[in-house]
Amino acid sequence: MAGNSRSIDARGWIFEVEDTGTPGTWLPIAGLTSWSMNPGENEEVAETTAFDSDGAYEEDVMQRGASITVEGQYRIDKTSKAKDPGQAYIDGEWTDRLGIDSHNNLRWRHETQTSWVLWDATMTPGEQSGGTNEKTSWSATFRRSGKATTAAVTP
């Protein structure tokens, strides 16, 4: 069976944010060129080493977390000049929220998968930059709040 397994393309990952003004409306984030997930983000442990540990370190994981950073190019519609809806929602709606309002839903999957991973998340906008012969960059980092859930991909 190992001979039939293949690596998947990084470009096949899909990331979407939910428009809280219209629940159930998901906005794809366009222009992405890379992403990374850190499944150990915000992990906390409690040391449990005691005299009877015979000099070996011991611990219990007390908290789990995760984050995803997406990076790419700032995108606009060629005709209308409107910013990509996913990027526009993140930059225009989500960025300035504080407290309980700082949460939003993020979902992601690979195009070969039949279910979404859903996160209640907070978000930190990334830097935007560019040079003479470059396109303008865009990025955001999402941190999971609570446990992930899943949902079937529906047409």
Side-chain angles (χ1 to χ4, degrees), residues 15-18 20 26 29 42 66-69 89-90 94-95 97-108 117-124 140-149:
F15 298 88
E16 298 181 346
V17 292
E18 186 175 21
T20 56
W26 291 90
I29 305 170
N42 295 318
S67 68
I68 291 177
T69 298
Y89 182 83
I90 291 166
W94 197 349
T95 293
R97 295 182 190 166
L98 302 172
I100 196 168
D101 294 331
S102 66
H103 292 251
N104 207 88
N105 291 320
L106 170 75
R107 71 180 184 181
W108 53 278
V117 176
L118 287 100
W119 285 6
D120 170 23
T122 59
M123 184 275 307
T124 300
T141 298
F142 306 92
R143 282 170 308 286
R144 189 183 73 209
S145 181
K147 293 186 177 185
T149 60

Side-chain angles (χ1 to χ4, degrees), residues 38-93:
N38 179 351
E41 179 84 11
N42 295 318
E43 183 176 277
E44 294 290 338
V45 299
E47 182 179 348
T48 58
T49 309
F51 291 156
D52 58 357
S53 298
D54 293 325
Y57 175 81
E58 296 177 353
E59 73 177 24
D60 289 339
V61 176
M62 303 303 291
Q63 171 180 297
R64 299 267 187 206
S67 68
I68 291 177
T69 298
V70 294
E71 298 177 331
Q73 299 167 347
Y74 187 105
R75 285 289 169 102
I76 62 169
D77 180 274
K78 290 189 292 185
T79 305
S80 71
K81 307 299 186 231
K83 188 170 184 177
D84 166 71
Q87 290 183 9
Y89 182 83
I90 291 166
D91 292 346
E93 299 293 326

Side-chain angles (χ1 to χ4, degrees), residues 5-32:
S5 65
R6 300 284 299 169
S7 300
I8 60 174
D9 295 337
R11 69 174 53 124
W13 289 95
I14 304 163
F15 298 88
E16 298 181 346
V17 292
E18 186 175 21
D19 182 346
T20 56
T22 312
T25 299
W26 291 90
L27 306 170
I29 305 170
L32 299 181

